[in-house]
């Protein structure tokens, strides 16, 4: 199947309120352009070193999302143009994003990444840590960032009950903070293997790579 057919098939299964991020990591610019020319304008990358050169050569109306772990010393490279950072997992990183956003005279939208999976290796905050961060006074002083929602990755498993449970726990936490934080609107959950479950559990942004571009 072509990228166009994959995108059409995928979109036909997504409710209209769910935004599709095409995860283009490891894919060359020609492949990204193929998706772009059939109407996909939002792309996600997980590494700054890969995102920046792609941003430089590709059309400027592309919306770029950073979905992978971000090191403080790399924030400056993406601060001028990034649309949404999905993977914020500390106050110190938020401070750095705020500083670089300020230098660029802009505000940067961020999601807090929560650790909801069983695996030890995945990045992210616990519910407790995220709660503390969201309520902290220091956060209020960061005028050039907005925390607009949450991101989470479920355990890589065939156990749909477990995946559903993990997504559900994040949605519950999201709803709790929705009432305290009027900027909250985005819940980024779901990849190729589990986006259908994620959408059923309340996701409104899915990050899909393999089902669009083929296996990496
Ligand atoms: C690679 C990646 C995805 C997409 O995974 P696929 O299985 O290719 O759909 C989604 N989210 C993050 C954080 C990723 O690194």
């Amino acid at each position: 199947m072509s990228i166009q057919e994959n995108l059409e098939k995928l979109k036909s299964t997504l409710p209209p309120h769910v935004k599709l991020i095409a995860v283009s990591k490891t894919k060359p610019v020609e492949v990204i352009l193929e998706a772009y020319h059939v109407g996909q304008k939002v792309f996600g990358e997980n590494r700054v070193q890969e995102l920046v050169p792609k941003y430089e050569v590709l059309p400027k109306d592309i919306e770029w999302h950073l979905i992978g772990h971000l090191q403080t010393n790399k924030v400056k490279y993406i601060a001028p143009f990034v649309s949404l950072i999905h993977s914020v997992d500390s106050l110190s990183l938020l401070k750095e994003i705020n500083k670089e956003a300020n230098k660029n005279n802009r505000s940067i939208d961020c999601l807090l990444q929560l650790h909801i999976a069983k695996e030890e290796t995945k990045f992210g905050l616990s519910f407790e840590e995220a709660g503390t961060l969201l309520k902290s006074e220091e956060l209020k002083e960061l005028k050039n960032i907005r925390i607009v929602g949450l991101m989470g990755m479920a355990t890589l498993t065939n156990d749909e009950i477990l995946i559903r449970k993990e997504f559900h726990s994040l949605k519950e936490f999201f709803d709790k903070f929705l009432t305290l934080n009027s900027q909250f609107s985005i819940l980024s959950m779901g990849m190729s293997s589990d986006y259908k479950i994620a959408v059923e559990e309340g996701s409104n942004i899915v990050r899909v790579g393999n089902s669009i571009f083929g296996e990496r």
Side-chain angles (χ1 to χ4, degrees), residues 23-179:
V23 176
S24 50
K25 64 188 187 201
T26 77
K27 299 294 168 186
V29 291
E30 300 76 46
V31 170
I32 299 176
L33 274 176
E34 194 179 331
Y36 174 85
H37 287 309
V38 296
Q40 180 64 32
K41 299 285 154 76
V42 190
F43 293 89
E45 289 281 337
N46 67 339
R47 293 168 69 238
V48 171
Q49 305 94 292
E50 199 176 332
L51 171 54
V52 173
K54 285 176 176 175
Y55 161 74
E56 282 168 357
V57 297
L58 284 161
K60 289 295 172 284
D61 64 337
I62 288 180
E63 199 182 290
W64 289 105
H65 291 215
L66 186 81
I67 60 172
H69 185 66
L70 177 59
Q71 286 170 286
T72 334
N73 61 358
K74 302 236 169 75
V75 174
K76 57 177 176 284
Y77 302 115
I78 59 168
F81 68 90
V82 72
S83 286
L84 181 64
I85 301 173
H86 290 235
S87 42
V88 174
D89 59 2
S90 71
L91 183 62
S92 56
L93 180 58
L94 274 173
K95 285 181 180 167
E96 181 67 16
I97 297 169
N98 184 69
K99 191 178 99 196
E100 293 298 328
N102 183 262
K103 279 190 196 163
N104 286 279
N105 282 314
R106 62 180 297 228
S107 169
I108 297 181
D109 285 351
C110 300
L111 305 179
L112 291 186
Q113 181 173 355
L114 275 286
H115 179 101
I116 55 172
K118 289 269 176 292
E119 292 117 354
E120 291 291 337
T121 54
K122 295 207 171 145
F123 293 105
L125 300 159
S126 66
F127 289 122
E128 197 185 338
E129 288 165 334
T132 306
L133 202 165
L134 286 165
K135 286 182 214 147
S136 79
E137 287 302 316
E138 277 181 285
L139 186 62
K140 293 189 188 118
E141 286 157 29
L142 307 179
K143 303 293 184 199
N144 291 71
I145 55 117
R146 292 196 317 153
I147 297 183
V148 293
L150 307 173
M151 188 269 255
M153 292 166 87
T155 304
L156 215 52
T157 170
N158 292 324
D159 182 352
E160 287 196 8
I161 295 170
L162 177 64
I163 295 171
R164 191 176 292 282
K165 208 164 91 188
E166 290 171 351
F167 284 146
H168 190 80
S169 69
L170 188 55
K171 175 66 161 71
E172 271 185 348
F173 185 80
F174 179 84
D175 286 343
K176 200 168 116 192
F177 278 91
L178 194 60
T179 53

Side-chain angles (χ1 to χ4, degrees), residues 1-3 6-7 10 20-27 156 191-193 195 207-216:
M1 288 235 286
S2 70
I3 287 177
N6 289 341
L7 277 167
L10 196 57
L20 172 63
I21 315 289
V23 176
S24 50
K25 64 188 187 201
T26 77
K27 299 294 168 186
L156 215 52
M191 356 206 295
S192 295
S193 57
Y195 76 88
R207 310 174 311 272
V208 180
N210 284 340
S211 298
I212 299 171
F213 299 112
E215 299 277 324
R216 280 178 299 274

